[in-house]
Amino acid sequence: MNKIMYVPAIGEQFNSVWNRGLSYNNFDLKFFTKNSHFQHESALQSVYYILNGVAKNKSSYKEMIGYPKDKILFTDSAGFQIATFKKQGKPCNISPLDSLRLQEKNADIAFNLDVPPTLGESVTLNEFNLALSQSVDNFNLFEKNRQNYQMKLLNVIHGETIEFLDLWYNKVKHFNFDGWAIGVKPPFDPMLQALGFMYLLEKGEVDKNSCYNIHFFGTSGKNVVPTIAYASQKVNKKIMISYDSSSYNIGSIYRTYYMPLDVGDSLSFGEKFKIKNPNITTLPCECPVCKQINKIEDLNTKDIYAGTLISLHNMYQYIYYNNIINSLISTQDKFTAYLEAMKINKSTLTSFEFIDYAIENNVEKAFRKYKTHFQQQVEQKKKQTNVWGF
């Protein structure tokens, strides 16, 4: 039975903290060494940040941050950053070959340089085809110029409808890569993530011997993770199924501290502490990070380590939730009861129905059956309200 893996995307503040060698109570403010509050099995870094100086004077990013050989480092191709900067009218000086070589130098698992057709908003057919054409050019370059075959290199699929998925898939299915990354938007919608996965499963891509990993881009919310876990049980072989996000980093950006497993409202530290929750004197959490904090005032200091501690606490909530889902998924009644207790969104439970219906019939029939839901999501612009909501 397959387990799913949460992959924390490394935020910029971590690079700054690690470069400066900051620590707290003899903990190194990482999440993968013996001196960390806890050790996690994986992480993701974008080649955009690697290229822009985080690994200066070092042979690799792994060397710079002291990343262990027995843990898995994903590197993102920077497709998202390139598309974002282009939309903002800003330059992003990363060539496809730069992206490939930097990933080959640093990654255990890497992604092809896709051009996302949408950053969350609806997209026209012409816009979709343009992004697809540019992506195919990049994929061709990656396949022909690849040198490091120890690194797993994943194909990428986009499309929020059967029509768009067919257009994309038929242009990229012939590439010889090691699995797939699903870039269906918006990432916070369980039904759309189920659609992307079931589409690849029906095409036989997930069960291929060459398929090492299926990865979901930019999602980790409590409503989507159960869908990923539920879908993972439909695979007939042992495979790595993973998903990533950096939204835990709201701790560093806004000093927002999430309650364990989203039970209750979040806490605020820093300048907002006296306004939002001035009477809090002890932390409502026993995670490995919170247990080592000397006094609550340490989270209100302006020093960068305070926000980093909150981010590590937030990250641990993802890991803890992932572990609970992995534990319960094998027992349907316990799994469902837990989700009900967590007040999971109705669309999550509907995604289970969609998955089962797609297997019993086919994905296109399932898409038509739940057409109203998909139409609503394609029209909805991307929103992110909190760490658990997307």
Coordinates of all heavy atoms in Angstrom, one line a residue, residues 155-214:
N155 N 8.2 14.1 -16.0 CA 7.4 14.8 -17.0 C 6.4 15.7 -16.3 O 6.2 15.5 -15.1 CB 6.7 13.8 -17.9 CG 6.4 14.3 -19.3 OD1 6.3 15.5 -19.5 ND2 6.3 13.4 -20.3
V156 N 5.7 16.6 -17.0 CA 4.8 17.5 -16.4 C 3.5 17.6 -17.2 O 3.6 17.6 -18.4 CB 5.3 18.9 -16.2 CG1 4.3 19.8 -15.5 CG2 6.6 18.9 -15.5
I157 N 2.3 17.5 -16.5 CA 1.1 17.7 -17.2 C 0.2 18.8 -16.7 O 0.2 19.0 -15.4 CB 0.3 16.3 -17.2 CG1 -0.9 16.4 -18.1 CG2 -0.2 16.0 -15.8 CD1 -1.6 15.1 -18.4
H158 N -0.5 19.5 -17.5 CA -1.4 20.6 -17.2 C -2.7 20.4 -17.8 O -2.8 19.6 -18.8 CB -0.8 21.9 -17.6 CG 0.4 22.4 -16.8 ND1 0.3 23.0 -15.6 CD2 1.7 22.4 -17.1 CE1 1.5 23.3 -15.1 NE2 2.4 22.9 -16.0
G159 N -3.7 21.1 -17.3 CA -5.0 21.0 -18.0 C -6.1 20.8 -16.9 O -6.1 19.9 -16.1
E160 N -7.2 21.7 -17.0 CA -8.3 21.6 -16.0 C -9.5 21.0 -16.6 O -10.5 20.9 -15.9 CB -8.6 23.0 -15.5 CG -7.5 23.6 -14.6 CD -6.2 23.9 -15.3 OE1 -6.3 24.6 -16.4 OE2 -5.1 23.6 -14.8
T161 N -9.5 20.6 -17.9 CA -10.6 19.9 -18.5 C -10.0 18.7 -19.3 O -8.8 18.6 -19.5 CB -11.3 20.9 -19.5 OG1 -10.4 21.2 -20.6 CG2 -11.8 22.1 -18.8
I162 N -10.9 17.8 -19.7 CA -10.5 16.7 -20.5 C -9.8 17.2 -21.8 O -8.8 16.6 -22.3 CB -11.6 15.7 -20.8 CG1 -12.2 15.1 -19.5 CG2 -11.2 14.6 -21.7 CD1 -11.2 14.3 -18.7
E163 N -10.4 18.2 -22.4 CA -9.9 18.7 -23.7 C -8.5 19.2 -23.5 O -7.6 18.9 -24.3 CB -10.8 19.9 -24.2 CG -10.3 20.5 -25.4 CD -11.0 21.8 -25.8 OE1 -11.8 22.3 -25.0 OE2 -10.7 22.4 -26.9
F164 N -8.2 20.0 -22.5 CA -6.9 20.5 -22.2 C -5.9 19.4 -21.8 O -4.7 19.4 -22.3 CB -6.9 21.6 -21.2 CG -7.4 23.0 -21.7 CD1 -7.7 24.0 -20.8 CD2 -7.5 23.2 -23.1 CE1 -8.1 25.2 -21.3 CE2 -7.9 24.4 -23.5 CZ -8.2 25.5 -22.7
L165 N -6.4 18.5 -21.0 CA -5.5 17.4 -20.6 C -5.1 16.6 -21.9 O -3.9 16.2 -22.0 CB -6.2 16.5 -19.6 CG -6.3 17.0 -18.2 CD1 -7.2 16.2 -17.3 CD2 -4.9 17.0 -17.5
D166 N -6.0 16.3 -22.7 CA -5.7 15.6 -24.0 C -4.7 16.3 -24.8 O -3.8 15.7 -25.4 CB -7.0 15.3 -24.8 CG -7.9 14.2 -24.2 OD1 -7.4 13.4 -23.4 OD2 -9.1 14.1 -24.6
L167 N -4.9 17.6 -25.0 CA -4.0 18.4 -25.8 C -2.6 18.3 -25.3 O -1.6 18.1 -26.0 CB -4.5 19.9 -25.8 CG -5.6 20.2 -26.7 CD1 -6.1 21.7 -26.5 CD2 -5.3 20.0 -28.2
W168 N -2.5 18.5 -24.0 CA -1.1 18.5 -23.4 C -0.5 17.1 -23.4 O 0.6 16.9 -23.8 CB -1.2 19.0 -21.9 CG 0.1 19.3 -21.3 CD1 1.1 18.4 -20.9 CD2 0.7 20.6 -21.2 NE1 2.2 19.1 -20.4 CE2 2.0 20.5 -20.6 CE3 0.2 21.9 -21.4 CZ2 2.8 21.5 -20.3 CZ3 1.1 23.0 -21.1 CH2 2.3 22.8 -20.5
Y169 N -1.3 16.1 -22.9 CA -0.8 14.7 -22.8 C -0.3 14.2 -24.2 O 0.8 13.6 -24.3 CB -1.8 13.8 -22.3 CG -1.4 12.4 -22.2 CD1 -0.5 11.9 -21.3 CD2 -2.0 11.4 -23.1 CE1 -0.1 10.6 -21.2 CE2 -1.6 10.1 -23.1 CZ -0.7 9.7 -22.1 OH -0.3 8.4 -22.1
N170 N -1.1 14.4 -25.2 CA -0.7 13.9 -26.6 C 0.5 14.5 -27.1 O 1.2 13.9 -28.0 CB -1.9 14.1 -27.5 CG -3.1 13.2 -27.2 OD1 -2.9 12.1 -26.7 ND2 -4.3 13.6 -27.5
K171 N 0.9 15.7 -26.7 CA 2.2 16.3 -27.1 C 3.4 15.9 -26.3 O 4.5 16.1 -26.8 CB 2.0 17.8 -27.1 CG 1.0 18.4 -28.1 CD 1.6 18.3 -29.5 CE 0.7 19.0 -30.5 NZ 1.2 19.0 -31.9
V172 N 3.2 15.4 -25.1 CA 4.4 15.1 -24.2 C 4.5 13.6 -23.8 O 5.4 13.3 -23.2 CB 4.3 16.0 -23.0 CG1 4.2 17.5 -23.3 CG2 3.2 15.6 -22.0
K173 N 3.5 12.8 -24.2 CA 3.5 11.4 -23.7 C 4.7 10.6 -24.2 O 5.0 9.6 -23.5 CB 2.2 10.8 -24.0 CG 2.0 10.6 -25.5 CD 0.6 10.0 -25.9 CE 0.4 9.8 -27.4 NZ -0.9 9.2 -27.7
H174 N 5.3 11.0 -25.3 CA 6.3 10.2 -25.9 C 7.7 10.3 -25.2 O 8.6 9.6 -25.5 CB 6.5 10.5 -27.4 CG 6.9 11.9 -27.6 ND1 6.1 13.0 -27.5 CD2 8.2 12.4 -27.9 CE1 6.7 14.1 -27.8 NE2 8.0 13.8 -28.0
F175 N 7.8 11.4 -24.4 CA 9.1 11.6 -23.7 C 9.5 10.5 -22.8 O 8.6 10.0 -22.0 CB 9.1 13.0 -23.0 CG 9.1 14.1 -24.0 CD1 8.0 15.0 -24.0 CD2 10.2 14.4 -24.8 CE1 8.0 16.0 -24.9 CE2 10.2 15.5 -25.6 CZ 9.1 16.3 -25.7
N176 N 10.8 10.2 -22.7 CA 11.3 9.1 -21.9 C 11.8 9.7 -20.5 O 13.0 9.9 -20.4 CB 12.4 8.3 -22.6 CG 12.9 7.2 -21.8 OD1 12.2 6.6 -21.0 ND2 14.1 6.8 -22.0
F177 N 10.8 9.9 -19.6 CA 11.2 10.4 -18.3 C 10.8 9.4 -17.2 O 10.4 8.3 -17.5 CB 10.5 11.8 -18.1 CG 11.0 12.8 -19.1 CD1 10.1 13.6 -19.8 CD2 12.3 13.0 -19.3 CE1 10.5 14.6 -20.7 CE2 12.8 14.0 -20.2 CZ 11.9 14.7 -20.9
D178 N 10.9 9.8 -16.0 CA 10.8 8.8 -14.9 C 9.5 9.0 -14.0 O 9.5 8.5 -12.9 CB 12.0 9.0 -14.0 CG 13.3 8.9 -14.7 OD1 13.5 7.9 -15.4 OD2 14.1 9.8 -14.7
G179 N 8.5 9.6 -14.5 CA 7.3 9.8 -13.8 C 6.6 11.1 -14.2 O 7.0 11.7 -15.2
W180 N 5.7 11.6 -13.4 CA 4.9 12.8 -13.8 C 4.7 13.7 -12.6 O 4.6 13.3 -11.4 CB 3.5 12.3 -14.2 CG 3.5 11.6 -15.6 CD1 3.8 10.3 -15.8 CD2 3.3 12.2 -16.9 NE1 3.7 10.0 -17.1 CE2 3.4 11.2 -17.8 CE3 3.0 13.5 -17.3 CZ2 3.2 11.4 -19.2 CZ3 2.9 13.7 -18.6 CH2 2.9 12.7 -19.6
A181 N 4.7 15.0 -12.9 CA 4.3 16.0 -12.0 C 2.9 16.6 -12.5 O 2.8 16.8 -13.7 CB 5.3 17.1 -11.8
I182 N 2.0 16.8 -11.6 CA 0.7 17.2 -11.9 C 0.6 18.7 -11.5 O 0.7 19.1 -10.4 CB -0.4 16.4 -11.2 CG1 -0.3 14.9 -11.6 CG2 -1.8 17.0 -11.4 CD1 -1.2 14.0 -10.8
G183 N 0.3 19.5 -12.6 CA 0.3 21.0 -12.3 C -1.1 21.6 -12.5 O -1.3 22.7 -12.8
V184 N -2.2 20.8 -12.3 CA -3.5 21.2 -12.5 C -3.9 22.3 -11.5 O -3.6 22.2 -10.3 CB -4.5 20.0 -12.3 CG1 -5.9 20.5 -12.5 CG2 -4.2 18.9 -13.3
K185 N -4.5 23.4 -11.9 CA -4.8 24.6 -11.1 C -6.3 24.7 -11.0 O -7.0 24.5 -12.0 CB -4.2 25.8 -11.7 CG -2.7 25.8 -11.7 CD -2.0 25.9 -10.4 CE -0.5 26.1 -10.5 NZ 0.2 25.1 -11.2
P186 N -6.8 25.2 -9.9 CA -6.1 25.6 -8.7 C -5.7 24.4 -7.9 O -6.5 23.4 -7.8 CB -7.1 26.5 -7.9 CG -8.4 26.0 -8.4 CD -8.3 25.6 -9.8
P187 N -4.5 24.4 -7.2 CA -4.0 23.3 -6.5 C -4.8 23.0 -5.2 O -4.7 21.9 -4.7 CB -2.6 23.7 -6.2 CG -2.6 25.2 -6.2 CD -3.6 25.6 -7.2
F188 N -5.6 23.9 -4.7 CA -6.3 23.7 -3.5 C -7.6 22.9 -3.7 O -8.3 22.5 -2.7 CB -6.6 25.0 -2.8 CG -7.5 26.0 -3.6 CD1 -8.8 25.8 -3.8 CD2 -6.8 27.1 -4.2 CE1 -9.5 26.7 -4.6 CE2 -7.6 28.0 -4.9 CZ -8.9 27.8 -5.1
D189 N -8.0 22.6 -4.9 CA -9.2 21.9 -5.2 C -9.0 20.4 -5.3 O -8.3 19.9 -6.2 CB -9.8 22.4 -6.5 CG -11.2 21.7 -6.8 OD1 -12.1 21.8 -5.9 OD2 -11.3 21.1 -7.8
P190 N -9.6 19.6 -4.4 CA -9.4 18.2 -4.4 C -9.9 17.5 -5.7 O -9.3 16.6 -6.2 CB -10.3 17.7 -3.2 CG -10.4 18.9 -2.3 CD -10.5 20.1 -3.2
M191 N -11.0 18.0 -6.2 CA -11.6 17.4 -7.5 C -10.6 17.5 -8.6 O -10.4 16.6 -9.4 CB -12.9 18.0 -7.8 CG -14.0 17.6 -6.8 SD -14.6 15.9 -7.1 CE -15.6 16.1 -8.5
L192 N -10.0 18.7 -8.8 CA -9.1 18.9 -9.9 C -7.8 18.0 -9.7 O -7.2 17.5 -10.7 CB -8.7 20.3 -10.1 CG -9.8 21.2 -10.7 CD1 -9.5 22.7 -10.6 CD2 -10.0 20.8 -12.2
Q193 N -7.3 17.9 -8.5 CA -6.2 17.1 -8.3 C -6.5 15.6 -8.5 O -5.7 14.8 -9.1 CB -5.6 17.3 -6.8 CG -5.2 18.7 -6.5 CD -4.4 19.3 -7.6 OE1 -3.3 18.8 -8.0 NE2 -4.8 20.5 -8.1
A194 N -7.7 15.2 -8.2 CA -8.1 13.8 -8.5 C -8.2 13.6 -10.0 O -7.9 12.6 -10.5 CB -9.5 13.6 -7.8
L195 N -8.7 14.6 -10.7 CA -8.8 14.5 -12.2 C -7.4 14.3 -12.8 O -7.3 13.4 -13.6 CB -9.4 15.8 -12.7 CG -9.4 16.0 -14.2 CD1 -10.3 14.9 -14.9 CD2 -9.9 17.3 -14.7
G196 N -6.4 15.1 -12.4 CA -5.1 15.0 -12.9 C -4.5 13.6 -12.7 O -4.0 13.0 -13.6
F197 N -4.7 13.1 -11.5 CA -4.2 11.8 -11.1 C -4.9 10.7 -11.9 O -4.2 9.8 -12.5 CB -4.3 11.5 -9.6 CG -3.6 10.3 -9.2 CD1 -2.3 10.3 -8.7 CD2 -4.3 9.1 -9.1 CE1 -1.6 9.2 -8.3 CE2 -3.6 7.9 -8.7 CZ -2.3 8.0 -8.3
M198 N -6.2 10.7 -11.9 CA -7.0 9.6 -12.5 C -6.8 9.6 -14.1 O -6.8 8.6 -14.7 CB -8.5 9.8 -12.2 CG -8.8 9.6 -10.7 SD -8.1 8.1 -10.0 CE -8.9 6.8 -11.0
Y199 N -6.5 10.8 -14.6 CA -6.2 10.9 -16.1 C -5.0 10.1 -16.4 O -4.9 9.2 -17.3 CB -6.1 12.3 -16.5 CG -5.9 12.5 -18.0 CD1 -7.0 12.6 -18.8 CD2 -4.6 12.5 -18.5 CE1 -6.8 12.8 -20.2 CE2 -4.4 12.6 -19.9 CZ -5.5 12.8 -20.7 OH -5.3 12.9 -22.1
L200 N -3.9 10.3 -15.6 CA -2.6 9.6 -15.8 C -2.8 8.1 -15.5 O -2.2 7.3 -16.2 CB -1.6 10.2 -14.9 CG -1.1 11.6 -15.3 CD1 -0.1 12.1 -14.3 CD2 -0.4 11.6 -16.7
L201 N -3.6 7.8 -14.5 CA -3.8 6.4 -14.1 C -4.5 5.7 -15.3 O -4.1 4.5 -15.7 CB -4.6 6.3 -12.8 CG -4.8 4.9 -12.3 CD1 -3.4 4.3 -11.8 CD2 -5.8 4.9 -11.1
E202 N -5.5 6.3 -15.8 CA -6.3 5.6 -16.9 C -5.4 5.5 -18.2 O -5.6 4.5 -18.9 CB -7.5 6.5 -17.3 CG -8.4 5.8 -18.3 CD -9.7 6.6 -18.5 OE1 -10.6 6.3 -17.7 OE2 -9.8 7.5 -19.4
K203 N -4.5 6.4 -18.4 CA -3.6 6.3 -19.6 C -2.5 5.3 -19.4 O -1.7 5.0 -20.3 CB -2.9 7.7 -19.8 CG -3.9 8.7 -20.3 CD -4.6 8.4 -21.6 CE -5.5 9.5 -22.1 NZ -6.2 9.2 -23.3
G204 N -2.4 4.7 -18.2 CA -1.4 3.6 -17.9 C -0.1 4.2 -17.5 O 0.9 3.4 -17.3
E205 N 0.0 5.5 -17.3 CA 1.3 6.1 -17.0 C 1.8 5.8 -15.6 O 3.0 5.6 -15.4 CB 1.2 7.7 -17.2 CG 1.0 8.1 -18.6 CD 2.1 7.8 -19.5 OE1 3.2 7.6 -19.0 OE2 1.9 7.8 -20.7
V206 N 0.9 5.7 -14.7 CA 1.2 5.5 -13.3 C 1.7 4.1 -13.0 O 2.7 3.9 -12.2 CB 0.0 5.8 -12.3 CG1 0.4 5.6 -10.9 CG2 -0.5 7.2 -12.6
D207 N 1.2 3.1 -13.8 CA 1.6 1.7 -13.6 C 2.8 1.3 -14.4 O 3.2 0.1 -14.3 CB 0.4 0.8 -13.9 CG -0.7 0.9 -12.8 OD1 -0.3 1.1 -11.6 OD2 -1.9 0.9 -13.1
K208 N 3.3 2.2 -15.2 CA 4.4 1.8 -16.1 C 5.7 1.5 -15.2 O 5.9 2.1 -14.1 CB 4.8 3.0 -17.0 CG 3.9 3.1 -18.2 CD 4.4 4.2 -19.1 CE 3.6 4.3 -20.4 NZ 4.1 5.4 -21.3
N209 N 6.5 0.6 -15.6 CA 7.7 0.2 -14.9 C 8.6 1.4 -14.8 O 9.4 1.5 -13.8 CB 8.4 -1.0 -15.6 CG 7.6 -2.3 -15.4 OD1 6.9 -2.4 -14.4 ND2 7.8 -3.2 -16.3
S210 N 8.6 2.3 -15.8 CA 9.5 3.4 -15.8 C 9.0 4.6 -14.9 O 9.7 5.5 -14.6 CB 9.6 4.0 -17.2 OG 8.3 4.4 -17.7
C211 N 7.8 4.4 -14.3 CA 7.2 5.5 -13.5 C 7.7 5.3 -12.0 O 7.3 4.4 -11.3 CB 5.7 5.5 -13.5 SG 5.0 6.9 -12.6
Y212 N 8.6 6.2 -11.6 CA 9.2 6.2 -10.3 C 8.4 7.0 -9.3 O 8.3 6.7 -8.1 CB 10.6 6.7 -10.4 CG 11.3 6.9 -9.1 CD1 12.0 5.8 -8.5 CD2 11.4 8.1 -8.4 CE1 12.7 5.9 -7.3 CE2 12.1 8.2 -7.2 CZ 12.7 7.1 -6.6 OH 13.4 7.3 -5.4
N213 N 7.8 8.2 -9.8 CA 7.2 9.1 -8.9 C 6.1 9.9 -9.6 O 6.1 10.2 -10.7 CB 8.3 10.2 -8.5 CG 7.9 11.2 -7.4 OD1 8.3 12.3 -7.4 ND2 6.9 10.8 -6.6
I214 N 5.0 10.1 -8.8 CA 3.9 11.0 -9.2 C 4.0 12.2 -8.1 O 3.9 11.9 -6.9 CB 2.6 10.4 -9.2 CG1 2.5 9.2 -10.2 CG2 1.5 11.4 -9.4 CD1 2.6 9.7 -11.7

